């Protein structure tokens, strides 16, 4: 594992080899500390799967997410203001363009995502679009049965609510034995 540390975050990049899976899985994690009014998740890191989807079409992301009980909820971009979901996890699949997102608040981490990348946000993770290139296309989904709220830094995000959001039934890309469960325990 290669560790990258900085203020308010901890990142790990590793290649997992899983039996019965699609071969090696790249996972980049960022454990984000609270940043002022952005709570972030107290235990579970942001997960980034670079190039997880070989044919990044919106329908392909929607098919994969739905297959793993993360029904697609929308196609669009990322809000250009800090926000988070206190009562649900979220997955983002990038199918066109390029986007740079600030995760975790101002002291968090900046991530640039490209077509085929998947980003899994545990409840409470702040996110804000900083910039994009090209015609940005993102599929967003939430675990089956979730109805996430949208909180801004002016909201009173409840840390107890965030901590009580259960594990999802499956990894949104790799299913019930996906790498999400290696990192969210």
């Amino acid at each position: 594992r290669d560790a990258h540390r900085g203020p308010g975050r901890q990142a790990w990049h590793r290649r997992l080899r899983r039996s019965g899976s699609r071969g090696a899985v790249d996972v980049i994690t960022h454990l984000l500390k609270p940043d002022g009014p952005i709570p972030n998740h107290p235990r579970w890191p942001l997960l980034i799967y670079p190039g997880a989807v070989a044919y990044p079409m919106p329908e392909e992301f929607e098919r994969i997410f739905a297959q793993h009980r993360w029904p697609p909820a929308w196609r669009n971009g990322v809000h250009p203001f800090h926000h988070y979901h206190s009562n649900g996890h979220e997955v983002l699949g990038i199918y066109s363009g390029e986007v740079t997102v600030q995760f975790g608040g101002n002291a968090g981490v900046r991530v640039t995502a490209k077509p085929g990348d998947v980003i899994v946000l545990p409840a409470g993770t702040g996110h804000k679009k900083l910039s994009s290139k090209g015609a940005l296309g993102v599929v967003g989904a939430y675990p089956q049965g979730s109805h996430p709220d949208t909180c801004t830094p002016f909201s009173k995000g409840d840390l107890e609510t965030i901590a009580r959001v259960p594990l999802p039934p499956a990894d949104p890309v790799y299913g019930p034995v996906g790498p999400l469960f290696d990192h969210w325990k």
Side-chain angles (χ1 to χ4, degrees), residues 1-2 10-18 25-32 41-50 89 118 120-122 167-168 170-172 174-185:
R1 294 195 264 195
D2 300 322
Q10 178 182 38
W12 300 96
H13 183 237
R14 66 182 183 168
R15 183 177 289 278
L16 299 175
R17 177 83 51 197
R18 305 188 69 81
V25 177
D26 278 328
V27 179
I28 300 169
T29 67
H30 295 279
L31 184 59
L32 301 163
H41 198 279
R43 297 182 313 276
W44 298 338
L46 173 75
L47 304 175
I48 303 166
Y49 304 164
H89 311 302
V118 172
V120 188
L121 294 74
L167 280 170
D171 181 296
Y174 299 101
V177 294
L180 178 144
F181 298 106
D182 294 331
H183 300 285
W184 291 11
K185 297 177 186 179

Side-chain angles (χ1 to χ4, degrees), residues 124-173:
T125 302
H127 48 298
K128 168 188 175 179
K129 180 179 87 170
L130 297 176
S131 64
S132 62
K133 293 180 185 174
L136 180 61
V138 180
V139 169
Y142 309 97
Q144 192 169 345
S146 295
H147 302 286
D149 55 11
T150 298
C151 302
T152 66
F154 304 106
S155 303
K156 294 278 186 199
D158 184 351
L159 288 174
E160 289 180 23
T161 300
I162 292 166
R164 281 193 312 264
V165 175
L167 280 170
D171 181 296
V173 178

Side-chain angles (χ1 to χ4, degrees), residues 58-130:
E59 299 83 6
E60 182 67 0
F61 281 104
E62 291 167 346
R63 183 191 67 73
I64 292 168
F65 295 163
Q67 175 184 348
H68 300 298
R69 298 176 23 201
W70 289 66
W74 50 268
R75 287 186 194 178
N76 202 341
V78 178
H79 291 306
F81 54 86
H82 288 292
H83 65 287
Y84 60 93
H85 310 290
S86 70
N87 62 350
H89 311 302
E90 182 175 32
V91 63
L92 307 175
I94 313 304
Y95 64 85
S96 68
E98 182 178 294
V99 64
T100 299
V101 179
Q102 180 79 35
F103 290 101
N106 290 326
V109 61
R110 292 176 184 208
V111 174
T112 298
K114 298 177 180 173
D117 293 351
V118 172
I119 303 170
V120 188
L121 294 74
T125 302
H127 48 298
K128 168 188 175 179
K129 180 179 87 170
L130 297 176

